[in-house]
Amino acid sequence: MGRGKPAAPALPMTCRQRVLLEQESRKRTTLQQYHDRILILLHGSDGKSNSWVARDLGMGLNTVKTWRRHWQA
């Protein structure tokens, strides 16, 4: 039995957007803050919960929620 709220729905993302984000995440010159944001979006499009993403990336839950909202806007 789960606890708390249900997981947020997967982020809508086209195949092209996903490919571009994956390419950007593999670049060695990407700033860390951009890399983290990209990973939030990629995990979100996989349907991972906000709390799982926050734990996996070692960041705050509010940060994950913020960037998911930015993507959906």
Side-chain angles (χ1 to χ4, degrees):
M1 186 163 142
R3 296 179 2 199
K5 296 181 182 179
L11 290 174
M13 188 176 293
T14 65
C15 290
R16 175 95 173 121
Q17 289 171 324
R18 182 163 185 90
V19 167
L20 291 173
L21 287 173
E22 288 173 347
Q23 287 174 350
E24 193 66 28
S25 73
R26 287 190 292 268
K27 288 183 181 178
R28 295 182 57 84
T29 57
T30 303
L31 294 175
Q32 185 65 41
Q33 63 187 10
Y34 295 143
H35 186 261
D36 290 345
R37 293 172 190 171
I38 290 168
L39 291 179
I40 290 170
L41 297 176
L42 289 174
H43 286 314
S45 72
D46 290 337
K48 305 288 186 195
S49 70
N50 291 341
S51 58
W52 186 92
V53 174
R55 279 192 309 272
D56 187 57
L57 300 178
M59 59 181 54
L61 183 59
N62 286 336
T63 302
V64 174
K65 288 179 180 180
T66 298
W67 288 108
R68 284 183 63 117
R69 276 194 305 269
H70 279 293
W71 179 262
Q72 291 174 324

